[in-house]
mmCIF file of all heavy atoms in Angstrom:
data_model
loop_
_atom_site.group_PDB
_atom_site.id
_atom_site.type_symbol
_atom_site.label_atom_id
_atom_site.label_comp_id
_atom_site.label_asym_id
_atom_site.label_seq_id
_atom_site.Cartn_x
_atom_site.Cartn_y
_atom_site.Cartn_z
ATOM 1 N N PHE A 1 2.650 -53.619 -10.442
ATOM 2 C CA PHE A 1 3.446 -52.512 -10.914
ATOM 3 C C PHE A 1 4.370 -52.044 -9.772
ATOM 4 O O PHE A 1 4.021 -52.163 -8.587
ATOM 5 C CB PHE A 1 2.550 -51.379 -11.369
ATOM 6 C CG PHE A 1 1.571 -51.798 -12.443
ATOM 7 C CD1 PHE A 1 0.188 -51.691 -12.241
ATOM 8 C CD2 PHE A 1 2.044 -52.324 -13.649
ATOM 9 C CE1 PHE A 1 -0.663 -52.079 -13.243
ATOM 10 C CE2 PHE A 1 1.131 -52.703 -14.637
ATOM 11 C CZ PHE A 1 -0.221 -52.608 -14.426
ATOM 12 N N GLU A 2 5.495 -51.557 -10.128
ATOM 13 C CA GLU A 2 6.501 -51.126 -9.131
ATOM 14 C C GLU A 2 5.918 -50.096 -8.166
ATOM 15 O O GLU A 2 6.233 -50.058 -6.969
ATOM 16 C CB GLU A 2 7.756 -50.646 -9.804
ATOM 17 C CG GLU A 2 8.966 -50.450 -8.900
ATOM 18 C CD GLU A 2 9.484 -51.752 -8.319
ATOM 19 O OE1 GLU A 2 9.427 -52.785 -8.979
ATOM 20 O OE2 GLU A 2 10.021 -51.715 -7.220
ATOM 21 N N CYS A 3 4.980 -49.254 -8.642
ATOM 22 C CA CYS A 3 4.388 -48.217 -7.804
ATOM 23 C C CYS A 3 3.513 -48.854 -6.658
ATOM 24 O O CYS A 3 3.096 -48.140 -5.748
ATOM 25 C CB CYS A 3 3.540 -47.264 -8.626
ATOM 26 S SG CYS A 3 2.046 -47.985 -9.316
ATOM 27 N N GLN A 4 3.287 -50.143 -6.702
ATOM 28 C CA GLN A 4 2.468 -50.822 -5.729
ATOM 29 C C GLN A 4 3.318 -51.355 -4.549
ATOM 30 O O GLN A 4 2.785 -51.934 -3.605
ATOM 31 C CB GLN A 4 1.684 -51.955 -6.368
ATOM 32 C CG GLN A 4 0.664 -51.467 -7.353
ATOM 33 C CD GLN A 4 0.034 -52.603 -8.132
ATOM 34 O OE1 GLN A 4 0.356 -52.884 -9.271
ATOM 35 N NE2 GLN A 4 -0.880 -53.255 -7.494
ATOM 36 N N LYS A 5 4.643 -51.150 -4.662
ATOM 37 C CA LYS A 5 5.505 -51.630 -3.583
ATOM 38 C C LYS A 5 5.358 -50.721 -2.351
ATOM 39 O O LYS A 5 5.264 -49.508 -2.473
ATOM 40 C CB LYS A 5 6.981 -51.611 -4.023
ATOM 41 C CG LYS A 5 7.908 -52.224 -3.041
ATOM 42 C CD LYS A 5 9.284 -52.370 -3.614
ATOM 43 C CE LYS A 5 10.153 -52.989 -2.533
ATOM 44 N NZ LYS A 5 11.468 -52.434 -2.544
ATOM 45 N N TYR A 6 5.353 -51.329 -1.184
ATOM 46 C CA TYR A 6 5.167 -50.604 0.062
ATOM 47 C C TYR A 6 6.282 -51.130 1.009
ATOM 48 O O TYR A 6 6.740 -52.250 0.918
ATOM 49 C CB TYR A 6 3.766 -50.908 0.627
ATOM 50 C CG TYR A 6 3.391 -49.936 1.732
ATOM 51 C CD1 TYR A 6 2.974 -48.644 1.480
ATOM 52 C CD2 TYR A 6 3.411 -50.366 3.077
ATOM 53 C CE1 TYR A 6 2.659 -47.774 2.496
ATOM 54 C CE2 TYR A 6 3.046 -49.518 4.084
ATOM 55 C CZ TYR A 6 2.668 -48.237 3.816
ATOM 56 O OH TYR A 6 2.359 -47.386 4.808
ATOM 57 N N SER A 7 6.697 -50.280 1.932
ATOM 58 C CA SER A 7 7.836 -50.638 2.827
ATOM 59 C C SER A 7 7.556 -51.945 3.616
ATOM 60 O O SER A 7 8.433 -52.789 3.724
ATOM 61 C CB SER A 7 8.203 -49.476 3.748
ATOM 62 O OG SER A 7 7.066 -49.146 4.516
ATOM 63 N N ALA A 8 6.371 -52.043 4.198
ATOM 64 C CA ALA A 8 6.037 -53.221 5.019
ATOM 65 C C ALA A 8 4.548 -53.424 5.023
ATOM 66 O O ALA A 8 3.819 -52.605 5.659
ATOM 67 C CB ALA A 8 6.572 -53.073 6.394
ATOM 68 N N VAL A 9 4.090 -54.396 4.290
ATOM 69 C CA VAL A 9 2.646 -54.686 4.236
ATOM 70 C C VAL A 9 2.217 -55.324 5.564
ATOM 71 O O VAL A 9 2.899 -56.193 6.072
ATOM 72 C CB VAL A 9 2.353 -55.665 3.069
ATOM 73 C CG1 VAL A 9 0.949 -56.196 3.137
ATOM 74 C CG2 VAL A 9 2.615 -54.976 1.743
ATOM 75 N N PRO A 10 1.133 -54.828 6.183
ATOM 76 C CA PRO A 10 0.660 -55.472 7.398
ATOM 77 C C PRO A 10 0.244 -56.900 7.125
ATOM 78 O O PRO A 10 -0.392 -57.201 6.126
ATOM 79 C CB PRO A 10 -0.576 -54.619 7.797
ATOM 80 C CG PRO A 10 -0.769 -53.570 6.774
ATOM 81 C CD PRO A 10 0.279 -53.732 5.732
ATOM 82 N N VAL A 11 0.629 -57.819 7.996
ATOM 83 C CA VAL A 11 0.401 -59.243 7.802
ATOM 84 C C VAL A 11 -0.440 -59.785 8.970
ATOM 85 O O VAL A 11 -0.082 -59.579 10.117
ATOM 86 C CB VAL A 11 1.716 -60.013 7.676
ATOM 87 C CG1 VAL A 11 1.506 -61.506 7.511
ATOM 88 C CG2 VAL A 11 2.533 -59.454 6.535
ATOM 89 N N ASP A 12 -1.486 -60.495 8.629
ATOM 90 C CA ASP A 12 -2.312 -61.214 9.596
ATOM 91 C C ASP A 12 -1.943 -62.696 9.565
ATOM 92 O O ASP A 12 -1.265 -63.144 8.638
ATOM 93 C CB ASP A 12 -3.783 -61.036 9.289
ATOM 94 C CG ASP A 12 -4.271 -59.598 9.437
ATOM 95 O OD1 ASP A 12 -3.743 -58.896 10.342
ATOM 96 O OD2 ASP A 12 -5.140 -59.160 8.667
ATOM 97 N N ALA A 13 -2.399 -63.436 10.556
ATOM 98 C CA ALA A 13 -2.044 -64.859 10.655
ATOM 99 C C ALA A 13 -2.472 -65.665 9.445
ATOM 100 O O ALA A 13 -1.785 -66.641 9.076
ATOM 101 C CB ALA A 13 -2.686 -65.438 11.940
ATOM 102 N N HIS A 14 -3.574 -65.293 8.802
ATOM 103 C CA HIS A 14 -4.073 -66.044 7.636
ATOM 104 C C HIS A 14 -3.419 -65.649 6.336
ATOM 105 O O HIS A 14 -3.605 -66.301 5.341
ATOM 106 C CB HIS A 14 -5.597 -65.915 7.535
ATOM 107 C CG HIS A 14 -6.000 -64.476 7.178
ATOM 108 N ND1 HIS A 14 -6.217 -63.565 8.131
ATOM 109 C CD2 HIS A 14 -6.198 -63.897 5.980
ATOM 110 C CE1 HIS A 14 -6.569 -62.418 7.559
ATOM 111 N NE2 HIS A 14 -6.539 -62.579 6.258
ATOM 112 N N ASP A 15 -2.585 -64.630 6.298
ATOM 113 C CA ASP A 15 -1.947 -64.147 5.081
ATOM 114 C C ASP A 15 -0.805 -65.054 4.717
ATOM 115 O O ASP A 15 0.017 -65.411 5.547
ATOM 116 C CB ASP A 15 -1.423 -62.723 5.249
ATOM 117 C CG ASP A 15 -2.575 -61.682 5.419
ATOM 118 O OD1 ASP A 15 -3.651 -61.897 4.802
ATOM 119 O OD2 ASP A 15 -2.350 -60.676 6.097
ATOM 120 N N ILE A 16 -0.722 -65.374 3.483
ATOM 121 C CA ILE A 16 0.314 -66.287 2.919
ATOM 122 C C ILE A 16 1.214 -65.481 1.957
ATOM 123 O O ILE A 16 0.737 -64.961 1.000
ATOM 124 C CB ILE A 16 -0.297 -67.462 2.156
ATOM 125 C CG1 ILE A 16 -1.181 -68.284 3.110
ATOM 126 C CG2 ILE A 16 0.768 -68.346 1.541
ATOM 127 C CD1 ILE A 16 -1.958 -69.393 2.430
ATOM 128 N N PRO A 17 2.500 -65.390 2.286
ATOM 129 C CA PRO A 17 3.415 -64.661 1.387
ATOM 130 C C PRO A 17 3.564 -65.456 0.067
ATOM 131 O O PRO A 17 3.380 -66.680 0.023
ATOM 132 C CB PRO A 17 4.754 -64.596 2.117
ATOM 133 C CG PRO A 17 4.688 -65.703 3.103
ATOM 134 C CD PRO A 17 3.232 -65.908 3.426
ATOM 135 N N LEU A 18 3.809 -64.730 -1.016
ATOM 136 C CA LEU A 18 3.989 -65.347 -2.320
ATOM 137 C C LEU A 18 5.494 -65.776 -2.439
ATOM 138 O O LEU A 18 6.319 -65.288 -1.737
ATOM 139 C CB LEU A 18 3.604 -64.363 -3.410
ATOM 140 C CG LEU A 18 2.154 -63.872 -3.341
ATOM 141 C CD1 LEU A 18 1.895 -62.853 -4.436
ATOM 142 C CD2 LEU A 18 1.166 -65.047 -3.441
ATOM 143 N N ASP A 19 5.741 -66.664 -3.382
ATOM 144 C CA ASP A 19 7.111 -67.060 -3.624
ATOM 145 C C ASP A 19 7.904 -65.994 -4.374
ATOM 146 O O ASP A 19 9.070 -65.725 -4.063
ATOM 147 C CB ASP A 19 7.163 -68.367 -4.432
ATOM 148 C CG ASP A 19 6.523 -69.538 -3.697
ATOM 149 O OD1 ASP A 19 6.672 -69.604 -2.449
ATOM 150 O OD2 ASP A 19 5.885 -70.356 -4.341
ATOM 151 N N ILE A 20 7.250 -65.382 -5.321
ATOM 152 C CA ILE A 20 7.893 -64.393 -6.198
ATOM 153 C C ILE A 20 6.876 -63.318 -6.515
ATOM 154 O O ILE A 20 5.671 -63.580 -6.645
ATOM 155 C CB ILE A 20 8.361 -65.011 -7.524
ATOM 156 C CG1 ILE A 20 9.446 -66.060 -7.292
ATOM 157 C CG2 ILE A 20 8.885 -63.948 -8.513
ATOM 158 C CD1 ILE A 20 9.800 -66.833 -8.531
ATOM 159 N N ILE A 21 7.353 -62.080 -6.664
ATOM 160 C CA ILE A 21 6.509 -60.981 -7.187
ATOM 161 C C ILE A 21 7.341 -60.336 -8.308
ATOM 162 O O ILE A 21 8.490 -59.999 -8.118
ATOM 163 C CB ILE A 21 6.105 -59.950 -6.118
ATOM 164 C CG1 ILE A 21 5.211 -60.661 -5.067
ATOM 165 C CG2 ILE A 21 5.400 -58.758 -6.760
ATOM 166 C CD1 ILE A 21 4.842 -59.767 -3.901
ATOM 167 N N ILE A 22 6.661 -60.200 -9.466
ATOM 168 C CA ILE A 22 7.323 -59.629 -10.619
ATOM 169 C C ILE A 22 6.699 -58.313 -10.993
ATOM 170 O O ILE A 22 5.416 -58.239 -11.063
ATOM 171 C CB ILE A 22 7.259 -60.601 -11.822
ATOM 172 C CG1 ILE A 22 8.004 -61.923 -11.486
ATOM 173 C CG2 ILE A 22 7.838 -59.966 -13.108
ATOM 174 C CD1 ILE A 22 7.912 -62.966 -12.551
ATOM 175 N N THR A 23 7.492 -57.283 -11.186
ATOM 176 C CA THR A 23 7.018 -56.001 -11.659
ATOM 177 C C THR A 23 7.701 -55.721 -12.976
ATOM 178 O O THR A 23 8.490 -56.490 -13.482
ATOM 179 C CB THR A 23 7.368 -54.853 -10.651
ATOM 180 O OG1 THR A 23 8.767 -54.596 -10.690
ATOM 181 C CG2 THR A 23 6.940 -55.203 -9.233
ATOM 182 N N GLU A 24 7.391 -54.552 -13.508
ATOM 183 C CA GLU A 24 7.987 -54.170 -14.800
ATOM 184 C C GLU A 24 9.492 -53.969 -14.689
ATOM 185 O O GLU A 24 10.192 -53.972 -15.713
ATOM 186 C CB GLU A 24 7.281 -52.902 -15.389
ATOM 187 C CG GLU A 24 7.589 -51.614 -14.623
ATOM 188 C CD GLU A 24 6.689 -51.365 -13.404
ATOM 189 O OE1 GLU A 24 5.961 -52.274 -12.991
ATOM 190 O OE2 GLU A 24 6.746 -50.226 -12.884
ATOM 191 N N SER A 25 9.991 -53.746 -13.506
ATOM 192 C CA SER A 25 11.429 -53.413 -13.371
ATOM 193 C C SER A 25 12.196 -54.309 -12.408
ATOM 194 O O SER A 25 13.419 -54.212 -12.325
ATOM 195 C CB SER A 25 11.604 -51.998 -12.933
ATOM 196 O OG SER A 25 10.973 -51.762 -11.701
#
């Protein structure tokens, strides 16, 4: 949901970014 967007998510070495994120808007 769009309300789950955050300015900068903390990222660790094992975290893998997604290709796409889809919200309602």
Side-chain angles (χ1 to χ4, degrees):
F1 303 120
E2 193 66 31
C3 69
Q4 295 172 257
K5 186 173 180 217
Y6 194 76
S7 59
V9 170
V11 178
D12 294 326
H14 66 271
D15 292 329
I16 299 173
L18 302 176
D19 297 324
I20 296 173
I21 296 176
I22 297 176
T23 72
E24 71 276 9
S25 60

